[in-house]
């Protein structure tokens, strides 16, 4: 593994994934990259490029055919289904294109459910949920039902749910896919803000424009990483795999990452 | 972070399990209600059948207790040659001298005499009524009373005067007593002075027209032999009295005397009623089975429909066991909901019916406990397969195959 300065949160190493259909589908053909703590990374590629499969593997929802995936240093291959569930409960947050909010529950409880399986008591879950809602700018909407919220607000609730347990990494799957452009911009700004606050976020998208807005882009095509670059010009913080250029620059406090955001 | 111990997942707290178990019921109220209804009907049927039979049994036993279990009847049996035997005229007096006997009353069947509303009624329309001579305190002894009028007394017992049993009054079309009312009895008029209430312990009195012993002898050619002796004994000594009654009533031929305890026949009747319950319990069981199929059906559909919820929960960190428990708990909850509704419905219908019959309301613990238990088991069995399927669903399949 390459020398890294930031602590690696997610390490994907020589990962392949073959679906045993007839004929077998090779969704990933040797993917490697590292996401360091506090990074905001876009994984971009057209549909069929393997990025959804990559999301499954990063999110420990599926296991690679070969290669290894490590989340916060824990190798997925060594863990039972039960342990992986606990890993997801405590260290990985998901944001989905379809939001997946429970419509009969108010926003606060939807967010609190992010901690349901982490063994946290209800009162604490609600406290954390209120804090998370405030972080995404919806502190005043906690008692609203998802049906009373706009699409952008729903996605904010979903993001709050992903953040509520302060996971090591947040995986956002096409988070703006169901939103109009204004709301998409707002969600991206929110992700940037959260990133500035120290959160590690991976955004999976097929939209080049969205990817270009984020500090680092990992481009996937036909099951391979074809490009991994930082918009700031330097190489990615925790890059393994096809690294270009010099070793990663030291990362300071979270606050001084603002310059990395280039339109 | 590398080297941190693997995080471990525990079971949900009871409150959280409750919250996830009611998700399906809260979001699909109508459907949940309908499938719980199946269970409710089955449990209600079972609770109502058991409750009603217990209540009716309790009612009957209360009636028996009110009437007393210490009544013994002595009837004339048959002689060695199959002829009706006669009880000695002195039998009531002799029985009265048995220590624990508290009261002795008797009737004597008056043969070959029929009773009609009037002489114009064709003689064939006897209404299956019998005529009997009666001692003077019969009603209280057999546990009945007068519905109207008064009973025979030493004066009226010598005159052509009759008192009607409850069924006899009904068949003759007489429902109240007024002065000068008479019936055609043995080719002469008898005046009606009273009508009895039903006598559940001694139904033979209900269909009898009762006259005084002297009147029967005077006007109807009665020989004065009692045919039925109604004996009240101290309750604790009933068996002892029973043992000596035959020999006391007819010392010459104790084997020509029948002794019985009418209340034991009623108790047997109460037991016989319970035997009919099997059929209705079976019907309730079928309803429960149908309800179980309904619950299994809704759970299978629920799992199919809620793939994305299952996927989301897996992504949020739910283990297979969490998902399995959630759906199992939902099925059990649904079924218990139906079961509880059924217990309430069954109890209410028991209460309504029992109160119209003036029975004590009895819902045995077996009925409601069994109803709830059956619902619990049904929920667990019906929910097991869908819950296993839900848990087996891989998170990626659940989330991305919409």
């Amino acid at each position: 593994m390459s020398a890294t300065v930031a602590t690696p949160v997610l390490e994907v190493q020589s990962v392949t994934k073959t679906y045993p259909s007839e004929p077998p589908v090779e969704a990933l053909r040797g993917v490697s990259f590292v996401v360091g703590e506090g990074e905001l990374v876009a994984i971009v590629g057209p549909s069929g490029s393997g990025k959804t499969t990559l999301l499954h593997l990063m999110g420990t929802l599926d296991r690679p055919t070969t290669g290894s995936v490590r989340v916060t240093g824990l190798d997925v291959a060594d863990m039972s289904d039960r342990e992986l569930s606990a890993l997801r409960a405590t260290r990985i947050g998901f944001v989905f294109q379809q939001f997946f909010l429970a419509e009969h529950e108010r926003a606060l409880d939807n967010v609190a459910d992010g901690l349901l399986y982490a063994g946290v008591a209800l009162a604490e879950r609600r406290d954390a949920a209120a804090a998370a809602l405030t972080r995404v700018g919806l502190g005043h909407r906690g008692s609203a039902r998802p049906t009373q919220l706009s699409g952008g607000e729903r996605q904010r609730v979903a993001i709050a749910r992903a953040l509520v347990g302060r996971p090591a990494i947040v995986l956002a799957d096409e988070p703006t896919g169901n939103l109009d452009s204004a709301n998409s911009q707002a969600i991206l700004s929110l992700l940037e803000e959260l990133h500035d606050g120290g959160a590690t976020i991976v955004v999976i998208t097929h939209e080049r424009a969205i990817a270009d807005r984020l500090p680092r882009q990992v481009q996937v095509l036909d099951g391979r990483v074809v490009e991994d670059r930082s918009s700031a010009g330097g190489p990615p913080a925790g890059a393994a795999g096809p690294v270009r250029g010099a070793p990663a620059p030291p990362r300071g406090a979270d606050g001084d990452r603002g310059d990395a955001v280039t339109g | 972070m590398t080297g941190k111990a693997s995080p471990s997942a525990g079971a949900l707290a009871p409150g959280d399990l409750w919250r996830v178990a009611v998700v399906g019921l809260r979001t699909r109220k109508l459907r949940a209600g309908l499938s719980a209804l199946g269970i409710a009907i089955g449990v209600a049927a079972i609770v109502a059948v058991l409750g009603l039979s217990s209540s009716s049994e309790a009612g009957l036993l209360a009636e028996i207790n009110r009437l007393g279990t210490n009544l013994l009847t002595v009837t004339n049996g048959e002689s060695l040659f199959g002829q009706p035997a006669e009880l000695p005229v002195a039998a009531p007096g002799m029985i009265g001298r048995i220590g624990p006997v508290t009261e002795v009353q008797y009737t004597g069947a008056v043969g070959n005499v029929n009773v009609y509303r009037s002489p114009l009624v064709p003689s064939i329309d006897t209404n299956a009524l019998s005529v009997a001579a009666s001692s003077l305190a019969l009603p209280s002894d057999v546990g009945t009373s007068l519905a109207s009028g008064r009973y025979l007394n030493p004066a009226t017992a010598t005159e052509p005067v009759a008192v009607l049993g409850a069924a006899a009054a009904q068949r003759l079309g007489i429902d109240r007593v007024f002065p000068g009312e008479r019936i055609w009895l043995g080719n002469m008029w008898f005046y009606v002075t009273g009508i009895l209430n039903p006598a559940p312990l001694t139904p033979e009195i209900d269909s009898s027209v009762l006259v005084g012993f002297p009147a029967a002898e005077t006007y109807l050619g009665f020989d004065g032999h009692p045919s039925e002796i109604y004996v009240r004994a101290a309750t604790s000594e009933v068996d002892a009295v029973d043992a000596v009654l035959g020999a006391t009533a007819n010392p010459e031929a104790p084997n020509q005397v029948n002794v019985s305890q009418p209340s034991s026949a009623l108790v047997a009747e109460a037991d016989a009623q319970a035997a009919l319950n099997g059929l209705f319990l079976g019907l309730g069981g079928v309803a429960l089975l149908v309800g179980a199929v309904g619950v299994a059906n809704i759970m299978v559909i629920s799992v199919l429909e809620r793939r994305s919820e299952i996927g989301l929960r897996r992504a949020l960190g739910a283990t297979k066991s969490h998902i399995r428990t959630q759906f199992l708990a939902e099925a059990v909850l649904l079924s218990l909901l139906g079961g509880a509704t059924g217990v309430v419905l069954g109890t209410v219908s028991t209460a309504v019916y029992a109160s119209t019959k003036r029975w004590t309301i009895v819902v045995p613990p077996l009925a409601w406990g069994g109803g709830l238990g059956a619902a619990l088991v049904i929920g667990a069995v019906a929910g097991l397969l869908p819950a296993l399927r839900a848990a087996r669903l891989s998170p990626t399949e659940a989330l991305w195959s919409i």
Side-chain angles (χ1 to χ4, degrees), chain A residues 24-190:
Chain A
V25 176
E26 285 184 81
L28 294 177
R29 308 161 188 243
V31 173
S32 301
F33 62 90
V34 174
V35 177
E37 193 180 345
E39 273 201 279
L40 173 54
V41 183
I43 291 180
V44 63
S47 57
S49 60
K51 59 184 192 307
T52 300
T53 304
L54 195 51
L55 172 75
H56 293 171
L57 298 178
M58 290 190 298
T60 75
L61 295 168
D62 206 351
R63 296 168 191 267
T65 308
T66 63
S68 79
V69 174
R70 299 165 83 86
V71 179
T72 65
L74 299 167
D75 194 336
V76 168
D78 298 338
M79 297 170 79
S80 68
D81 189 77
R82 199 180 174 78
E83 289 168 325
L84 286 180
S85 297
L87 182 75
R88 290 195 292 272
T90 52
R91 301 191 189 175
I92 304 176
F94 287 90
V95 176
F96 300 100
Q97 182 177 357
Q98 304 91 334
F99 319 143
F100 290 139
L101 298 177
E103 296 199 344
H104 59 283
E105 279 186 357
R106 58 201 177 122
L108 185 75
D109 285 327
N110 264 292
V111 175
D113 272 353
L115 280 171
L116 181 61
Y117 300 102
V120 180
L122 180 62
E124 288 172 54
R125 292 207 300 270
R126 288 198 169 134
D127 288 347
L133 274 175
T134 308
R135 276 173 85 190
V136 300
L138 284 178
H140 59 296
R141 298 288 272 155
S143 56
R145 312 251 158 197
T147 44
Q148 299 165 317
L149 298 173
S150 72
E153 286 175 317
R154 286 186 210 185
Q155 192 58 296
R156 280 165 186 267
V157 172
I159 290 170
R161 180 178 64 196
L163 287 170
V164 68
R166 301 201 169 263
I169 187 165
V170 173
L171 303 173
D173 180 26
E174 305 275 6
T176 60
N178 273 0
L179 300 176
D180 59 28
S181 62
N183 272 318
S184 297
Q185 293 306 316
I187 291 295
L188 287 175
S189 301
L190 171 64

Side-chain angles (χ1 to χ4, degrees), chain B residues 20-391:
Chain B
V20 298
V22 295
V23 164
L25 312 186
R26 281 171 65 194
T27 51
R28 296 166 176 79
K29 288 194 180 80
L30 178 65
R31 197 199 285 175
L34 286 176
S35 59
L37 188 64
I39 303 279
I41 290 173
V43 170
I46 288 175
V47 169
V49 166
L50 292 177
L52 279 178
S53 78
S54 301
S55 297
S56 93
E57 203 175 315
L60 202 51
L61 292 176
E63 176 79 357
I64 292 165
N65 266 337
R66 191 179 62 75
L67 298 170
T69 53
N70 59 343
L71 180 69
L72 294 166
T73 54
V74 177
T75 54
N76 54 334
E78 290 178 342
S79 71
L80 225 49
F81 308 103
Q83 304 299 316
E86 282 189 331
L87 289 172
V89 178
M94 294 191 285
I95 290 169
R97 284 189 284 277
I98 302 175
V101 168
T102 54
E103 195 170 0
V104 181
Q105 295 293 318
Y106 49 96
T107 61
V110 181
N112 300 321
V113 174
N114 290 318
V115 58
Y116 306 95
R117 188 77 170 81
S118 83
L120 303 177
V121 175
S123 63
I124 198 166
D125 292 342
T126 60
N127 276 324
L129 299 177
S130 55
V131 176
S134 165
S135 57
L136 303 181
L138 184 71
S140 61
D141 190 32
V142 299
T144 184
S145 56
L146 279 142
S148 71
R150 56 196 57 183
Y151 202 66
L152 302 168
N153 60 35
T156 55
T158 60
E159 301 299 325
V161 161
V163 170
L164 308 179
Q170 198 188 9
R171 288 182 209 162
L172 290 170
I174 296 171
D175 61 353
R176 64 202 156 87
V177 177
F178 57 86
E181 176 156 45
R182 34 185 213 172
I183 51 174
W184 190 249
L185 200 165
N187 294 319
M188 63 179 289
W189 290 108
F190 271 66
Y191 290 85
V192 177
T193 61
I195 299 173
L196 291 175
N197 281 318
L201 284 176
T202 53
E204 68 275 7
I205 288 178
D206 287 348
S207 59
S208 295
V209 173
L210 303 164
V211 299
F213 265 85
E217 284 164 22
T218 311
Y219 302 107
L220 303 172
F222 178 51
D223 61 5
H225 284 279
S227 55
E228 308 246 355
I229 304 174
Y230 303 100
V231 180
R232 289 274 180 182
T235 306
S236 55
E237 302 290 338
V238 169
D239 288 343
V241 173
D242 191 339
V244 298
L245 265 182
T248 313
N250 194 348
E252 285 176 23
N255 57 331
Q256 293 176 7
V257 177
N258 293 329
V259 178
S260 62
Q261 193 176 0
S263 59
S264 55
L266 287 181
V267 173
E269 188 187 330
D271 290 345
Q273 275 182 5
L276 269 179
N277 293 338
L279 180 66
F280 292 103
L281 283 181
L283 288 177
V286 170
L288 266 187
L289 197 66
V290 173
V293 173
V295 169
N297 188 27
I298 194 187
M299 291 313 295
V300 167
I301 292 172
S302 186
V303 169
L304 288 178
E305 276 185 355
R306 291 159 68 185
R307 290 170 82 101
S308 65
E309 183 198 324
I310 295 168
L312 172 72
R313 288 183 184 279
R314 293 306 307 273
L316 291 179
T319 60
K320 287 178 179 176
S321 136
H322 283 138
I323 299 293
R324 193 166 51 229
T325 313
Q326 174 183 343
F327 281 91
L328 201 56
E330 183 173 320
V332 168
L333 201 63
L334 186 64
S335 184
L336 272 183
L337 200 71
T341 312
V343 167
V344 170
L345 283 179
T347 307
V348 166
S349 40
T350 301
V352 168
Y353 191 74
S355 61
T356 63
K357 292 273 184 181
R358 293 166 195 281
W359 295 334
T360 324
I361 298 158
V362 181
V363 177
L366 176 73
W368 58 264
L372 283 182
L376 185 85
V377 170
I378 282 170
V381 170
L384 189 62
L385 198 69
L388 289 177
R389 283 178 65 167

